[in-house]
Amino acid sequence: MTIAIADMLLYAGALIILFMTPGPVWVALLARSLSGGFQAAWPLAIGVAVGDIVWPLVAVMGVAWLVSAFAGFMTVLQWVAVIVFVIMGLALIRDADHALSANSRLTRPGMWAGFVAGLAVIIGNPKAALFYMGILPGFFDLSVVTATDMVAICSLSFFVPLVGNLVLAASVDKVRGLLKSPIAVRRMNLTAGWLLIGVGAVIALG
């Protein structure tokens, strides 16, 4: 494997920060947990995690080809990663007071409906592809990426959000109050926003 452990840890940290950002998946997990308990929520978490494998895989393959075809493209993509993180961070800080709203398509009952909803919320979002296309070159040298490296990247992309979502679903009684409190939502968004900007700074200085 050509990927350094430090780069893997930084990437895992970025995934954790992204998980900390409240969004539609959080709302769907909480809604499903409240209505049907952990049994109703875990299929959605699995669907989200599976989707989180697809986009990194597509991004790694596509960006690796571009890097091999155009000299110097890697440097450009690294700065794209910096810009993506900073913009995401600033957007979170700007909209820190925005409350979350439920999406009925993500809260339909049933195990299969939960899995499909989790998969759809990731696969059906073109911003996810752009996000991974933008950030992966900031963490890894895709010009020398190997099959083992791709397995490692996809494994992190799968397990980090899966563990986070399962813990969230299992802890719904304690966490649900966070989404009802405007102050708590603001604090989470501000924290996640500054952390994302920090990750961008680390990439820029690395």
Side-chain angles (χ1 to χ4, degrees), residues 44-94:
L44 186 136
I46 296 292
V48 171
V50 170
D52 279 324
I53 290 179
V54 174
W55 282 129
L57 186 60
V58 171
V60 168
M61 296 176 66
V63 174
W65 176 82
L66 289 171
V67 169
S68 64
F70 301 98
F73 199 67
M74 190 68 199
T75 301
V76 174
L77 289 179
Q78 286 177 333
W79 282 103
V80 169
V82 173
I83 294 171
V84 167
F85 272 107
V86 171
I87 289 177
M88 288 182 63
L90 292 175
L92 276 175
I93 293 170
R94 181 193 62 190

Side-chain angles (χ1 to χ4, degrees), residues 98-188:
H98 284 197
L100 296 172
S101 57
N103 184 337
S104 60
R105 291 176 299 176
L106 299 179
T107 56
R108 291 173 182 169
M111 184 180 298
W112 179 248
F115 174 81
V116 172
L119 191 62
V121 76
I122 300 297
I123 299 299
N125 185 3
K127 292 181 181 179
L130 296 176
F131 172 75
Y132 280 109
M133 288 285 284
I135 70 167
L136 285 177
F139 295 99
F140 313 114
D141 184 355
L142 299 183
S143 62
V144 296
V145 72
T146 65
T148 304
D149 296 330
M150 292 177 65
V151 169
I153 292 170
C154 289
S155 295
L156 274 181
S157 301
F158 176 85
F159 284 109
V160 170
L162 175 62
V163 171
N165 286 327
L166 290 177
V167 170
L168 175 62
S171 308
V172 64
D173 287 335
K174 296 181 179 179
V175 178
R176 62 180 176 178
L178 295 178
L179 295 181
K180 296 179 181 179
S181 168
I183 295 177
V185 171
R186 174 180 170 81
R187 287 175 179 171
M188 284 188 294

